[in-house]
Amino acid sequence: MRRAAAACGFCADIITLLEDTSRETATAFMKLNAYLDVLIPRGGAGLIRACVENATVPCIQTGTGICHVYVDKAADLNMAVDIIENAKTSRPSVCNAEEVCLVHKDVAAGFLPLLKARLVDARAAAGPVDLRLDERAAAIIPGTPAGEQDFDTEFLNYILAIAVVNDVDAAIAHIARHSTHHSEAIITADDTAADRFITCVDSAAVYVNASTRFTDGGEFGLGCEMGISTQKLHARGPMGLAELCSYKYIIH
């Protein structure tokens, strides 16, 4: 990167790699307001929390993703299974992987056995997904009873929390309580349900009939990715009403 900068006529020192990765040095950097404009922590929840709690330099929070997929009563159930398989198993250790599946009560009895067959039975050799089930889901398929924190945990592993909800509004309310505002998806053929979901869900990326794994700077055509922000950023200079508004991506 330094050679590339120099080849473009810039001073190579505009890019610097710090090899001291101690916690003390990191904490010191968090307070260097005279020299640093912004911090972008890339790492686990502990690093991000340390920056938020200790930094006096402005900090862009990135990464932590408790991502939801809601299977509506008007969903194509086979497509829903395909999307959830991608969202959960293609790479479970990343922030855009699905952690929670919400299922409309009217299709739960038909859908959950399909999901178990794909994520558990068909993956016996590769490693089955541990399904953490609320009481309504556990009445339909076998799995692990969901614990108190399972709907508030970024598992980053082959674990999926599942809950049965009454309707799209219940799904929206569940996401509002438990989401980290990263990426959420609705699977449905009902445009009215899709419109309500994308209007009311307050996350950085909201999907209709697509996997949360699409949330990526490269996939969005942005080139390199500095991070995936889960907060609402500031404006600079004179501020009007527009500068107090944020935005979200809506992907069909």
Side-chain angles (χ1 to χ4, degrees):
M1 292 172 67
R2 288 167 58 84
R3 288 196 301 270
C8 292
F10 296 101
C11 172
D13 289 335
I14 64 172
I15 298 173
T16 302
L17 175 66
L18 302 178
E19 298 188 27
D20 179 354
T21 58
S22 67
R23 182 169 297 179
E24 293 75 18
T25 297
T27 302
F29 260 78
M30 294 176 194
K31 302 180 185 300
L32 293 181
N33 295 67
Y35 304 99
L36 301 179
D37 295 317
V38 67
L39 300 174
I40 306 176
R42 292 296 303 262
L47 172 66
I48 296 170
R49 183 170 58 252
C51 285
V52 172
E53 293 175 353
N54 297 307
T56 55
V57 177
C59 179
I60 298 176
Q61 299 175 47
T62 69
T64 305
I66 300 177
C67 301
H68 297 71
V69 175
Y70 164 57
V71 180
D72 186 49
K73 67 179 180 180
D76 178 325
L77 300 187
N78 290 319
M79 179 174 68
V81 171
D82 288 342
I83 288 173
I84 291 172
E85 180 182 32
N86 174 271
K88 178 72 263 183
T89 69
S90 62
R91 194 178 172 199
S93 61
V94 291
C95 63
N96 58 16
E98 177 192 3
E99 304 291 16
V100 177
C101 175
L102 304 174
V103 184
H104 194 289
K105 63 181 178 60
D106 290 356
V107 296
F111 175 72
L112 289 177
L114 294 177
L115 189 66
K116 176 182 176 295
R118 181 74 65 85
L119 297 189
V120 180
D121 304 339
R123 291 181 55 85
V129 175
D130 179 7
L131 304 181
R132 306 282 176 88
L133 309 175
D134 77 344
E135 290 184 2
R136 297 168 81 179
I140 301 171
I141 58 172
T144 305
E148 187 174 326
Q149 296 301 316
D150 280 338
F151 291 99
D152 296 292
T153 299
E154 187 182 27
F155 296 115
L156 303 176
N157 205 339
Y158 291 108
I159 302 171
L160 181 65
I162 300 177
V164 176
V165 296
N166 288 338
D167 52 28
V168 66
D169 287 328
I172 292 167
H174 186 287
I175 291 169
R177 288 194 303 272
H178 300 283
S179 170
T180 53
H181 311 291
H182 190 296
S183 302
E184 330 294 346
I186 180 173
I187 314 303
T188 188
D190 182 345
D191 290 342
T192 299
D195 289 345
R196 182 158 185 80
F197 188 87
I198 62 178
T199 298
C200 296
V201 169
D202 181 22
S203 293
V206 183
Y207 293 87
V208 178
N209 297 328
S211 170
T212 58
R213 289 278 287 116
F214 191 72
T215 304
D216 175 82
E219 297 292 349
F220 277 25
L222 305 180
C224 65
E225 178 186 283
M226 299 297 108
I228 297 174
S229 172
T230 54
Q231 67 183 33
K232 297 174 182 177
L233 300 179
H234 57 278
R236 189 182 190 191
M239 293 177 60
L241 292 178
E243 284 67 42
L244 294 181
C245 297
S246 186
Y247 59 90
K248 65 184 177 185
Y249 290 92
I250 297 172
I251 303 94
H252 290 262

